[in-house]
Amino acid sequence: MSIRNYIIIALIIGIIAQIPQLQPLLVWDRQAILNGEVWRILTGNITHTNWIHLAMNAGAFIIISFIFRAHFTPRYYSLLILSISTIIGLGLFATQITWYAGFSGVLHGLFAWGAVRDIQTKTKGGWLLFVGLIAKIGWEQCFGGSASSAELIGVQVATQAHLIGAISGAIIALVTTRKA
């Protein structure tokens, strides 16, 4: 499968997750998960607060996927996304977050994974991408997420998901084989 087809399928899944009758059943909801709705650990990452939120994350997903496409196959990329999503879904229990929807944590994980792969393969700019990500995550942890993004998506930016995603993506890149 080509990267283009893979992205189209992923975007269709994101659009389906926004169906008004379906979206409330997919968000990461701490109490609902504790009450047995464990699918939300994963699905909270594929649904969004609104269409603008989905469009922002879809655009970033397309860009990140093309930037790092030399490092993965669609099958590996799917496993990577599922792994990062699961880690974020479980990791959010270590935070004060009670409700979460969005793909940005996974995007940070994919970016960290790709930057580490670039470093491992000595691809020009890998270190710059990685240091830039560390600076962004550090800024968010100290000063919070972007106010303009929060206004667009209708909720506070979940910087904890960004941190969990970035750490998990970097660790996965370090502990898995270099050829994905």
Side-chain angles (χ1 to χ4, degrees), residues 46-94:
I46 62 168
T47 190
H48 293 81
T49 58
N50 57 36
W51 291 102
I52 293 171
H53 190 198
L54 173 62
M56 290 168 52
N57 280 305
F61 179 65
I62 292 167
I63 292 166
I64 290 169
S65 297
F66 275 102
I67 290 172
F68 300 119
R69 70 187 179 277
H71 298 307
F72 62 81
T73 62
R75 181 174 179 222
Y76 183 88
Y77 206 44
S78 296
L79 291 172
L80 179 63
I81 290 169
L82 285 172
S83 298
I84 294 170
S85 294
T86 302
I87 294 166
I88 292 168
L90 294 172
L92 289 175
F93 280 105

Side-chain angles (χ1 to χ4, degrees), residues 14-70:
I15 291 168
I16 291 169
Q18 285 306 106
I19 294 172
Q21 296 81 3
L22 191 56
Q23 192 267 359
L25 302 172
L26 301 177
V27 297
W28 191 95
D29 180 312
R30 180 183 299 267
Q31 195 56 53
I33 294 167
L34 293 173
N35 288 336
E37 297 178 13
V38 295
W39 64 84
R40 293 172 181 267
I41 290 169
L42 285 175
T43 61
N45 292 287
I46 62 168
T47 190
H48 293 81
T49 58
N50 57 36
W51 291 102
I52 293 171
H53 190 198
L54 173 62
M56 290 168 52
N57 280 305
F61 179 65
I62 292 167
I63 292 166
I64 290 169
S65 297
F66 275 102
I67 290 172
F68 300 119
R69 70 187 179 277

Side-chain angles (χ1 to χ4, degrees), residues 122-153:
K122 300 188 184 343
T123 302
K124 190 174 185 174
W127 277 108
L128 182 61
L129 294 174
F130 193 67
V131 169
L133 178 63
I134 291 170
K136 179 190 184 290
I137 297 288
W139 178 271
E140 288 180 341
Q141 296 309 302
C142 292
F143 303 108
S146 164
S148 58
S149 291
E151 187 175 328
L152 286 171
I153 66 174

